[in-house]
């Protein structure tokens, strides 16, 4: 039986890869321009990094992780996100001894056991950027300005920046209790998951897609009305710096973000082109994460962009596929050898050229060249070679010209 890929795991094929490479290249350019450095972290980590970092009572840890016991009896997990691993690396290598402020980014696959559908997969890619070591709201605005700049540079429009404040260790527990109180006589309206969430993590109910849960929570108290004065001040400054950075935003009091580690600033960038999976980027501040995983008190803020959803939004009129420059149609054995010699020289000069290895008829070779959308075909026949000539055909204009074999290479390089 033919072996297929696992459900929710995708191949990204050559006709799509140009978009991915463009997005990654733009991310590197923009982020490095903002002073960020790349970090590469393992795909596997100890399970407790995520259960402690992300939080036991989150969707990710409760039901989405790919966890297994390895041959040594250790519980390992395929990373469901990158922030916890980046924080671990920062602590493990004591990057703070070099400079307390670290601006890092990372691009790679994440794994979550979710129900696959458009824009939601079990292996998906994220572009992640994080700043460790700064509590100042200036940096909250700085990463958001960077994010929006990046999204604009890849050509994405119809985006909306939504922000909220989730409070901190001091004020959030009070809000949690308020929310619990508010929902306690509506619990019959909640789905099974949310009845449990009401006890373990009531803020998670905001993220539930079940309609009756959304109705139950419609007129709930807002976290923003319960945050302490320190958090309020921080949030006001974030807004001020966003405006100073030329950005507009929408306050979304219902956005709570799915991970426990978020404190204060939370943000999402949504697009109105994607249907229900409309979040392309989620991010926020997490001033408790480091303590959860290592004991040090280090603030952090960052975001994760979902690559699949971003690629879906790229402008349709842009050409991302790299086509060949030249096809060499060789006719006869001697011509094929000459074509092979030429092909190597062209490749060494960075010209994307292709030949037909089978010695097929001219008609069949031209058909292949057509399909490959090459702009030029070089026709090499035994007769032409013996006269020291080759024919170059412009596939668009259909015009042909003879060029001397002597300076064929330079001639081609000039043309292409
Ligand atoms: P959602 O509400 O869509 O489940 P999330 O809050 O779980 O998103 P984050 O953990 O914040 O998502 O991840 C950041 C981004 O990663 C999301 O905005 C989305 O673009 C992308 N993403 C998350 N989960 C998936 C998935 N299973 N498949 C594809 N992309 C995903
Ligand atoms: Mg999710």
């Amino acid at each position: 039986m033919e072996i297929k890929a696992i459900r929710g795991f995708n191949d990204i094929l050559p006709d799509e890869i140009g978009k991915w490479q463009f997005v990654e290249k733009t991310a590197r350019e923009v982020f490095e321009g903002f002073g960020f450095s790349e970090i590469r972290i393992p795909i596997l980590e100890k399970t407790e990094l995520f259960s402690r970092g992300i939080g036991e009572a989150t969707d990710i840890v409760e039901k989405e992780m790919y966890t297994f016991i390895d041959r040594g009896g250790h519980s390992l997990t395929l990373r469901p996100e990158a922030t916890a691993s980046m924080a671990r690396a920062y602590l493990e290598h004591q990057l703070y001894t070099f400079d307390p402020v670290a601006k890092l980014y990372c691009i790679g696959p994440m794994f979550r056991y979710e129900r696959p559908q458009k824009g939601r997969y079990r292996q998906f890619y994220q572009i992640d950027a994080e700043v460790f070591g700064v509590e100042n709201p200036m940096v909250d605005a700085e990463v958001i300005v960077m994010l929006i700049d990046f999204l604009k540079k890849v050509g994405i429009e119809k985006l909306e920046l939504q922000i909220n404040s989730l409070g901190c260790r001091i004020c959030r527990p009070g809000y949690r209790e308020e929310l619990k109180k508010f929902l306690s006589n509506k619990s019959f309206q909640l789905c099974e998951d949310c009845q449990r969430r009401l006890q373990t993590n009531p803020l998670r109910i905001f993220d539930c897609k079940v309609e009756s849960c959304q109705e139950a929570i419609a007129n709930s108290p807002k976290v923003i009305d319960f945050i302490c004065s320190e958090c309020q001040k921080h949030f006001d400054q974030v807004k001020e710096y966003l405006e100073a950075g030329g950005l507009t935003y929408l306050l979304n009091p219902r956005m709570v973000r799915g991970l426990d580690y978020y404190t204060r600033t939370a943000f999402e960038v949504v697009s109105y082109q994607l249907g229900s999976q409309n979040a392309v980027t989620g991010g926020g501040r997490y001033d408790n994460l480091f303590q959860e995983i290592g004991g040090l008190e280090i603030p952090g803020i960052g975001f994760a962009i979902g690559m699949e959803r971003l690629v879906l939004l790229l402008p349709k009129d842009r050409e991302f596929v790299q086509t060949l420059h030249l096809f060499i149609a060789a006719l006869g054995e001697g011509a094929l050898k000459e074509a092979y010699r030429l092909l190597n020289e062209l490749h060494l000069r960075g010209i994307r050229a292709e030949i037909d290895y089978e010695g097929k008829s001219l008609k069949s070779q031209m058909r292949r060249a057509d399909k490959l959308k090459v702009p030029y075909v070089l026709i090499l026949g035994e007769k032409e070679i013996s006269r020291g000539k080759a024919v170059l055909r412009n596939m668009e204009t259909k015009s042909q010209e003879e060029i001397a074999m002597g300076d064929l290479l330079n001639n081609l390089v000039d043309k292409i």
Side-chain angles (χ1 to χ4, degrees):
M1 208 178 62
E2 189 189 342
I3 298 169
K4 297 260 171 68
I6 310 166
R7 195 163 116 85
F9 287 66
N10 298 317
D11 299 308
I12 299 146
L13 300 175
D15 67 337
E16 280 175 280
I17 205 73
K19 295 182 187 173
W20 288 70
Q21 289 174 335
F22 165 70
V23 166
E24 287 168 10
K25 183 166 165 271
T26 310
R28 288 176 201 286
E29 280 167 10
V30 171
F31 295 0
E32 283 170 21
F34 273 76
F36 284 64
S37 307
E38 184 175 0
I39 180 170
R40 297 195 189 189
I41 46 174
I43 281 172
L44 268 184
E45 298 271 3
K46 290 180 182 160
T47 302
E48 62 179 318
L49 174 68
F50 304 116
S51 51
R52 266 163 51 190
I54 299 173
E56 293 283 359
T58 57
D59 280 1
I60 291 182
V61 175
E62 269 179 356
K63 52 187 188 192
E64 294 176 358
M65 294 205 303
Y66 274 94
T67 297
F68 65 94
I69 307 292
D70 76 356
R71 288 171 198 277
H74 309 286
S75 179
L76 304 181
T77 295
L78 283 170
R79 63 179 187 201
E81 55 111 53
T83 310
S85 309
M86 283 160 83
R88 180 208 39 77
Y90 174 85
L91 289 175
E92 187 168 337
H93 304 286
Q94 298 172 354
L95 296 185
Y96 48 83
T97 56
F98 167 67
D99 190 271
V101 181
K103 297 183 174 177
L104 304 169
Y105 75 90
C106 159
I107 302 177
M110 306 297 152
F111 305 85
R112 296 185 195 174
Y113 194 82
E114 300 195 75
R115 201 168 67 76
Q117 53 194 285
K118 189 173 181 194
R120 193 177 290 288
Y121 310 101
R122 290 179 173 174
Q123 175 176 331
F124 60 97
Y125 285 76
Q126 282 186 341
I127 303 177
D128 232 281
E130 313 287 345
V131 179
F132 298 149
V134 187
E135 204 185 340
N136 194 311
M138 227 174 244
V139 92
D140 302 41
E142 192 180 315
V143 298
I144 296 175
V145 167
M146 176 171 89
L147 168 64
I148 302 292
D149 182 43
F150 162 73
L151 292 170
K152 283 192 179 146
K153 289 214 166 104
V154 290
I156 299 196
E157 289 159 11
K158 291 189 187 163
L159 292 167
E160 184 175 85
L161 167 65
Q162 301 186 354
I163 59 170
N164 194 17
S165 175
L166 303 179
C168 65
R169 237 183 319 217
I170 296 163
C171 51
R172 193 147 77 206
Y175 172 68
R176 262 173 82 125
E177 284 319 303
E178 272 311 307
L179 190 62
K180 253 177 148 165
K181 229 183 340 184
F182 172 83
L183 286 169
S184 60
N185 56 358
K186 292 180 194 290
S187 68
F188 65 94
Q189 255 180 283
L190 300 176
C191 71
E192 215 174 290
D193 275 343
C194 284
Q195 300 216 356
R196 189 169 35 80
R197 287 176 185 137
L198 184 57
Q199 301 313 319
T200 57
N201 196 350
L203 268 76
R204 304 243 17 79
I205 299 173
F206 282 105
D207 268 352
C208 183
K209 306 271 182 321
V210 177
E211 210 172 305
S212 63
C213 297
Q214 284 302 317
E215 278 165 20
I217 209 147
N219 297 310
S220 69
K222 296 174 182 151
V223 58
I224 196 81
D225 296 328
F226 288 81
I227 61 178
C228 61
S229 59
E230 282 299 298
C231 286
Q232 187 63 57
K233 200 171 118 203
H234 194 273
F235 194 45
D236 288 342
Q237 285 180 309
V238 170
K239 291 187 278 189
E240 196 182 305
Y241 289 130
L242 283 175
E243 282 157 28
L247 295 186
T248 52
Y249 52 81
L250 190 85
L251 293 177
N252 179 355
R254 330 207 125 257
M255 188 230 306
V256 296
R257 312 277 313 118
L259 297 81
D260 269 5
Y261 57 53
Y262 286 114
T263 52
R264 296 192 166 169
T265 317
F267 58 94
E268 275 185 6
V269 178
V270 299
S271 146
Y272 291 99
Q273 289 168 244
L274 282 187
S276 65
Q277 309 309 331
N278 63 2
V280 271
T281 306
R285 176 168 279 288
Y286 40 87
D287 295 343
N288 303 334
L289 169 68
F290 280 91
Q291 267 168 313
E292 294 297 336
I293 65 171
L296 289 178
E297 195 149 343
I298 295 166
I301 175 146
F303 59 77
I305 304 166
M307 284 274 276
E308 284 80 359
R309 294 184 203 176
L310 190 65
V311 163
L312 281 175
L313 289 174
L314 290 183
K316 297 278 175 285
D317 51 358
R318 263 186 88 144
E319 194 59 65
F320 294 101
V321 185
Q322 285 213 335
T323 47
L324 291 165
H325 294 122
L326 177 75
F327 189 87
I328 308 173
L331 304 165
E333 222 167 288
L336 184 56
K337 280 210 178 106
E338 181 57 27
Y340 172 72
R341 195 190 55 77
L342 195 59
L343 185 77
N344 278 335
E345 284 181 31
L346 287 166
H347 284 163
L348 292 176
R349 306 212 14 194
I351 304 239
R352 291 193 298 277
E354 180 62 293
I355 55 171
D356 178 76
Y357 302 97
E358 312 287 339
K360 293 224 180 79
S361 71
L362 180 61
K363 203 170 146 197
S364 135
Q365 293 196 43
M366 292 308 280
R367 227 182 292 135
R368 182 160 167 233
D370 236 2
K371 212 160 77 188
L372 293 172
K373 297 203 178 92
V374 286
Y376 291 99
V377 176
L378 186 75
I379 303 163
L380 279 185
E382 306 275 348
K383 222 171 39 207
E384 281 86 355
I385 294 176
S386 68
R387 284 178 30 230
K389 300 260 187 227
V391 175
L392 186 68
R393 182 177 170 86
N394 182 321
M395 296 297 275
E396 205 187 325
T397 63
K398 313 271 186 243
S399 62
Q400 298 196 161
E401 61 180 301
E402 276 198 342
I403 20 184
M405 292 295 283
D407 43 43
L408 193 52
L409 187 66
N410 286 330
N411 223 318
L412 287 174
V413 172
D414 281 351
K415 277 228 156 52
I416 294 162

